[in-house]
Amino acid sequence: MPGGLDIVVTDAPATDLPREKRLHPSAGPAGDGPRPARRPLRLTARAGGEYLFVGIRGGHPTPQEPVDVSLGPGDICFYDLHHPTTLDFPERFRTKVFLVSRESLGLEESDVHRLMSTPVARTSRLGALLSPFLSDLADTAAASRPPVGEMLARNAVNLLATLAVEQLGGDGPGTPDAPSPLMTRIREYVELHLADPDLSPETIAGAHYISVRYLHKLFKDEGTTVGRWIQRRRLEECRRELMLYTRGHWTIAAIANRWGFLSAAHFSRVFRAAYGMSPSEWRDTTGRAARADRR
């Protein structure tokens, strides 16, 4: 499926979940020699119904401590596609499996094992919100044609990345100084929609399935605000274009409007506050410097 995501929906009885096919499952990376046999991840359930799984691709199979996980209908469970699984489920049940790469979710290899032992319960606040949504998305995306299927796949990956971050404690995986995958995706979204005057905390939060309050917290943790970040990036793009286009090409108001500033007066005020000169002074100064460089 487009978007780097595969979705498998089945009612057929199974004893394990989809996993990476390896000719020698006990062998490690080249030169490592055989690895000791690993006990499968054992997933148990006592009630029939629908279960959601997120199979994570990528990385190398490594010995891990045994994990036994009990699930209920509607629960969301992460697992490693390199790690064998066994299902001890009732006779009748349905599985919806999202197969996605570790890199797409922004996870470190150490994060995957942590996620395996902490399923998202359908009865939790997060599970009650996301379980039915993911279930419907799996059915819709699997039956849709491009470009709708591709759009749904991207949304699913974004949603699963957000879910992984929440399960890992909200601070994101990786080293303490590294940006979380959620913040990386938010910044990429802002860059793509920077010229949209309707870009706002509400639209950003909605696109990433988080609350506006949580969005503000993410930016506060980085020492800024959503509004300041958007304004700074818009000013940087305006300053760049003012340097490229001298008089007679684009007016200052047109460039400001192109990058989401609806008021020329407001743009002039914030530009002077940021750079210590008016937009016209910046354009004329850099324009003269550029002409001198070309001589």
Side-chain angles (χ1 to χ4, degrees), residues 160-178:
L160 293 171
T162 302
L163 180 61
V165 169
E166 289 289 341
Q167 284 300 96
L168 291 169
D171 295 328
T175 60
D177 294 332

Side-chain angles (χ1 to χ4, degrees), residues 39-121:
R39 177 183 169 187
L41 170 68
R42 186 168 180 264
L43 306 173
T44 62
R46 294 293 172 256
E50 180 179 281
Y51 294 83
L52 304 175
F53 297 94
V54 184
I56 302 176
R57 298 184 170 113
H60 300 292
T62 56
Q64 296 172 333
E65 292 298 321
V67 177
D68 290 337
V69 178
S70 297
L71 300 172
D75 288 356
I76 307 169
C77 181
F78 290 85
Y79 74 98
D80 184 348
L81 281 166
H82 281 303
H83 196 105
T85 61
T86 63
L87 301 182
D88 181 7
F89 276 37
E91 183 177 349
R92 293 183 176 275
F93 65 95
R94 163 174 277 203
T95 61
K96 294 182 178 179
V97 186
F98 298 84
L99 305 175
V100 62
S101 72
R102 177 174 59 80
E103 291 78 11
S104 295
L105 299 183
L107 299 175
E108 302 292 339
E109 290 190 34
S110 59
D111 298 320
V112 177
H113 184 63
R114 290 172 58 195
L115 287 169
M116 286 167 55
S117 60
T118 55
V120 183

Side-chain angles (χ1 to χ4, degrees), residues 262-290:
L262 300 182
S263 166
H266 170 69
F267 169 67
S268 293
R269 284 196 302 271
V270 297
F271 190 96
R272 181 182 289 276
Y275 302 119
M277 63 176 69
S278 69
S280 60
E281 290 171 335
W282 169 262
R283 179 194 58 192
D284 295 342
T285 300
T286 57
R288 284 195 300 270

Side-chain angles (χ1 to χ4, degrees), residues 60 68 103 143-144 173 177 182 188-189 199 232 245 295:
H60 300 292
D68 290 337
E103 291 78 11
S144 297
D177 294 332
L182 178 56
E188 290 173 351
Y189 180 88
L199 182 66
R232 192 190 89 182
Y245 302 117
R295 288 172 185 170

